[in-house]
Amino acid sequence: MEVTTRLVQDQTLIENALKGYAAAWPAYGRQQEAMAYSLLSGGKRIRPVLVLEVCRLFGGTPEKALPFACGLEMVHTYSLIHDDLPCMDDDDFRRGKPTNHKVFGEASAVLAGDGLLTAAFGVLTQAELSPEQICRGVACLSQAAGPAGMVGGQVLDLLGEGRTLTYDQIVEIESLKTGCMIEAAARLGAIAAGSTEEQEEAAAAYARKIGLAFQIRDDVLDVLGDEAELGKPIGSDQENQKSTFVGLKGAEGCQALIRTLTEEAVGCIRPYPGSEFLCDLAAMLAGRTK
C-alpha cells in the first residue's frame, strides 16, 4: 500500500477519535471550544500515526491502540499551546490559524493546555488493553512529557536563548523537547501490541533517529521554508536568538545529517516483516516541506 494512502487512513481514524473525545468535554465557558480549537486544527498527526503503525507492525490491533495515540496527541497539542504563549516563543500563528491565546486570551490558553494534558491520561486508561499495558503506557507518556523529557527540553531551550550552543547541547535539547515524545509514540505502539523488549527497543531506536531528523528539517524550514505552506512565520529561531543545527552545520550539512539519520532509522526497523510503511514514512518526513 502506498505510504500516503495508509497515512490518510490512519489520520482519518485518529481525527474521528479525537472529535469523539472533544465532544464529551464539558462546556464551562469557552473551555471546551478552546481545547478543541487547537486539538482539531489539523496537523500531520505523525506521533499518533506512529503509535498505530508500530502496534500494527508487531501484530497488535491499531484500533486498540487508538486511546494511546489520542492521549499522546493531546499532550503534544497542550505543549504547542503553551509553546506559543508570549512568555515562551510568542507566536501568532500555528497551522495557518491564529494561535490559541490570540483567539481565547492567555488565561484561557493556559487552561486549555492544562485541560488537554490532564485529560490525556484519562484517555489512556480507556484502552481495551490489560491493566499492565495501561500502566506501562501511562508511565511511558508521563516520562516523555515531564521534567525528564519534553518539559526539561523546554527549560533547556529557554536557557539556551542568546547563547552559542555546541552541537551536542542542541542535540540534548531537541532529544528531550521533541525526540522524547516521538520515541514515546513508538514505545506506546509496541506496548499496545504486547511486543517483546527487543521489538520495542528497535522501534524506539527508529523513532529517536527520525525524531532528530525531523527537528533538523524543522530548523532548515525555519530558514528556507515557505511561510504560507508552513502555516506559521519563519525566522522565529533567529528572532529568539536560538542556536540551531542550521547555524552550526549550514543547510547542506543539515540535509546530509537528515539523510544519514533516515538511513539509520530504516536500518533499525527494516529487519521486521511488514515495516515498509515505516521505512517509507521516514523517507517522506526527511523531504517534507511543511
Side-chain angles (χ1 to χ4, degrees):
M1 181 182 294
E2 188 182 354
V3 62
T4 51
T5 302
R6 173 81 68 79
L7 186 60
V8 169
Q9 289 177 353
D10 286 345
Q11 289 168 334
T12 301
L13 193 64
I14 291 158
E15 211 67 36
N16 289 337
L18 289 173
K19 288 177 182 177
Y21 288 121
W25 293 328
Y28 300 131
R30 300 187 74 187
Q31 172 188 282
Q32 192 261 6
E33 184 184 354
M35 292 168 67
Y37 175 82
S38 292
L39 183 65
L40 304 179
S41 66
K44 295 175 284 295
R45 307 298 192 200
I46 296 303
R47 292 160 187 80
V49 165
L50 277 177
V51 177
L52 300 189
E53 289 298 335
V54 170
C55 179
R56 188 196 307 272
L57 175 65
F58 295 136
T61 305
E63 286 77 10
K64 288 190 175 181
L66 258 179
F68 279 14
C70 291
L72 177 75
E73 188 69 1
M74 288 177 190
V75 173
H76 174 58
T77 303
Y78 120 77
S79 74
L80 299 181
I81 294 173
H82 283 192
D83 200 42
D84 289 336
L85 288 168
C87 60
M88 295 288 187
D89 286 351
D90 194 15
D91 285 325
D92 294 343
F93 290 92
R94 169 76 65 178
R95 295 169 176 167
K97 298 169 60 178
T99 46
N100 199 289
H101 67 275
K102 285 293 181 180
V103 178
F104 300 96
E106 290 180 38
S108 290
V110 170
L111 290 172
D114 292 346
L116 286 165
L117 172 62
T118 47
F121 290 96
V123 168
L124 260 67
T125 67
Q126 297 177 30
E128 294 181 5
L129 299 169
S130 71
E132 180 186 0
Q133 287 171 297
I134 291 172
C135 284
R136 287 182 61 204
V138 168
C140 174
L141 184 54
S142 174
Q143 175 78 9
M150 183 174 63
V151 170
Q154 182 67 31
V155 171
L156 292 178
D157 189 44
L158 291 171
L159 291 173
E161 290 183 2
R163 297 170 53 208
T164 300
L165 304 180
T166 66
Y167 175 78
D168 287 343
Q169 287 173 319
I170 298 174
V171 168
E172 180 184 23
I173 290 171
E174 300 304 345
S175 295
L176 292 171
K177 185 180 175 183
T178 304
C180 277
M181 288 289 285
I182 293 177
E183 180 179 343
R187 289 190 181 278
L188 286 169
I191 291 168
S195 70
T196 65
E197 183 177 347
E198 177 186 311
Q199 290 171 330
E200 181 178 335
E201 292 307 320
Y206 162 88
R208 283 193 296 272
K209 299 289 185 182
I210 66 166
L212 185 54
F214 189 93
Q215 187 55 50
I216 295 171
R217 186 64 182 158
D218 256 5
D219 283 3
V220 172
L221 291 175
D222 191 62
V223 176
L224 303 177
D226 181 271
E227 194 166 296
E229 189 171 4
L230 286 170
K232 61 181 180 179
I234 63 171
S236 59
D237 289 336
Q238 184 176 359
E239 186 177 329
N240 291 325
Q241 297 183 297
K242 290 184 178 182
S243 294
T244 66
F245 292 107
V246 175
L248 284 179
K249 302 287 187 181
E252 289 187 11
C254 284
Q255 286 303 120
L257 270 173
I258 292 168
R259 286 193 296 270
T260 298
L261 287 164
T262 301
E263 290 169 3
E264 291 174 350
V266 168
C268 292
I269 208 73
R270 183 180 282 150
Y272 296 95
S275 62
E276 291 83 6
F277 173 85
L278 290 173
C279 294
D280 290 346
L281 179 66
M284 186 187 79
L285 293 176
R288 66 191 174 90
T289 57
K290 60 181 179 178

